[in-house]
Amino acid sequence: QSREDLRVIVGRRNHDGDPMVPSRLLFATDAADLAQRALHFFRPVADEASVPSSPSTILAGSSIAGLLVPRPEALAEPITRMSVTSFRDYIACPYRYYLRHVLRLSTANDHADELDGAAFGSLAHEVLRRFGESPDRDSTDVEQIRQVLYDALSQCVAKDFGRDAMAVVHVQVEQLRLRLNAFAEKQAAWAAEGWRIEHTEVPTDQHQHAELSVDGEAMRLTGRIDRIDVNARTGERMVFDYKTSDSSKRPEDAHQQRGQWVDLQLPLYRHLVRSLGIEGKVGLGYITLSKDTSRIDFLRAEWSEADLEQADQLACEIVRAVRREHFWPPTDPPPDFSEEFAAI
């Protein structure tokens, strides 16, 4: 450095107004300077009243310190396809749906010291996909199923992380192994009842189009079905979605709150399976691989035909709103887990 004096500006509070802890790098010095810096950083602040406004505290459409939440612009082309998971985003907040699915905005960071929820889920899905395509997928032998899962996990970890993965990643891999261990027992029991894996990780865009007809016009539906099972004894079919979150919600609790639909993913799967040539009634459910291994299970959704018809009606209303480009105003307060667009 050519300068004799270096000044470091450090924020005292984060964007929510909460006190921040100084970086440990600022204390990497000798004992005398360390004591002075500690006294400086942790001394009482004279004026606590003036905490600047931040994007997370600005109401949609309002202007503070020159910041204006941008309104949606007219689309150059109409939306003709929607993923089955995007309906949940629209229900939660039309504006955030616009940001994520129309503008295709997303966040990026380089803090990948460990597997976040999405990466952990992707690893589990890939292991289960490999199991679902293996010759032993219909086995009723717990140990045989377990070995196939373990082998698939080892292959995925070697492919994605090699030998240089951080210790925390290895811990997470072992946590997944415990979940797979419990899943093997449930899978063996399920197969013993006559269930066979018919399809696994099926992207519908590789087959004929799945559509939702709204006012005589088709909206193409896209998505990836984790697994479809058929019972060799009864001919019944089940459409499953893998859930690897720490909690273990029933399908009804994940899709409805206080009697209102908040997610339409499983009901819309009924339309996706038709693109595979599957007609008639199908069961819907989750295969949960939760943190509590005692709750790992095959969970069937207990919806009536009237319930599913209500879900279809809501889906049609959302399609109409999307066609009208109704993306404003943002939901306030923000829906859960919407930090991705907090700065906007």
Side-chain angles (χ1 to χ4, degrees), residues 4 34-35 68 79 96 121 162 168 199 224 264 266 312 323:
E4 295 182 358
L34 188 150
L68 182 68
I79 295 174
R96 290 173 175 83
V168 66
H199 300 283
R224 182 181 295 272
L264 301 176
L266 283 183
D312 283 348
R323 286 174 176 169

Side-chain angles (χ1 to χ4, degrees), residues 94-324:
Y95 183 63
R96 290 173 175 83
Y97 166 90
Y98 167 79
L99 297 177
R100 179 177 291 113
H101 298 284
V102 180
L103 298 186
R104 300 188 182 280
L105 301 183
S106 62
T107 57
N109 64 68
D110 57 357
H111 298 172
D113 293 338
E114 60 181 342
L115 300 178
D116 60 15
F120 186 88
S122 295
L123 176 60
H125 275 71
E126 177 60 18
V127 171
L128 293 168
R129 182 193 68 79
R130 294 189 181 206
F131 166 73
E133 294 178 350
S134 73
D136 301 310
R137 64 183 184 177
D138 296 327
S139 173
T140 59
D141 186 316
V142 174
E143 290 306 320
Q144 186 179 29
I145 295 172
R146 191 170 284 150
Q147 191 58 53
V148 174
L149 292 167
Y150 288 175
D151 290 345
L153 178 60
S154 297
Q155 294 166 7
C156 291
V157 171
K159 173 179 174 291
D160 294 341
F161 306 105
R163 298 180 178 179
D164 299 326
M166 298 187 66
V168 66
V169 173
H170 289 294
V171 171
Q172 291 177 298
V173 169
E174 292 309 309
Q175 290 173 339
L176 177 55
R177 192 185 304 275
L178 291 175
R179 301 189 192 194
L180 295 173
N181 178 66
F183 166 78
E185 296 182 7
K186 293 293 183 178
Q187 173 62 35
W190 180 256
E193 295 177 9
W195 291 99
R196 301 293 180 261
I197 299 176
E198 186 175 25
H199 300 283
T200 183
E201 290 286 338
V202 185
T204 56
D205 54 6
Q206 291 184 3
H207 304 271
Q208 67 183 41
H209 295 171
E211 298 176 340
L212 186 65
S213 180
V214 182
D215 302 329
E217 185 179 355
M219 174 63 76
R220 183 178 174 187
L221 298 178
T222 63
R224 182 181 295 272
I225 301 172
D226 287 342
R227 176 167 154 176
I228 302 175
D229 287 10
V230 61
N231 193 296
R233 302 169 187 170
T234 66
E236 182 185 4
R237 281 189 171 88
M238 284 292 300
V239 179
F240 284 115
D241 196 50
Y242 290 126
K243 290 299 179 184
T244 58
S245 60
D246 287 347
S247 61
S248 181
K249 286 186 177 180
R250 297 184 309 123
E252 296 89 339
D253 296 333
H255 284 71
Q256 294 170 295
Q257 293 180 6
R258 295 181 292 276
Q260 300 296 317
W261 288 95
V262 296
D263 190 354
L264 301 176
Q265 182 178 8
L266 283 183
L268 289 175
Y269 275 171
R270 295 159 34 251
H271 303 281
L272 291 187
V273 297
R274 293 173 190 157
S275 68
L276 303 174
I278 298 175
E279 299 292 340
K281 185 177 179 180
V282 295
L284 305 168
Y286 283 164
I287 298 178
T288 60
L289 286 94
S290 59
K291 183 177 181 180
D292 182 354
T293 56
S294 67
R295 303 183 66 182
I296 291 176
D297 208 349
F298 290 66
L299 303 179
R300 182 192 294 262
E302 301 296 340
W303 289 313
S304 66
E305 286 301 316
D307 293 330
L308 296 173
E309 178 62 28
Q310 185 186 54
D312 283 348
Q313 291 176 4
L314 177 57
C316 290
E317 292 176 11
I318 292 173
V319 169
R320 294 187 185 101
V322 167
R323 286 174 176 169
R324 295 195 308 268

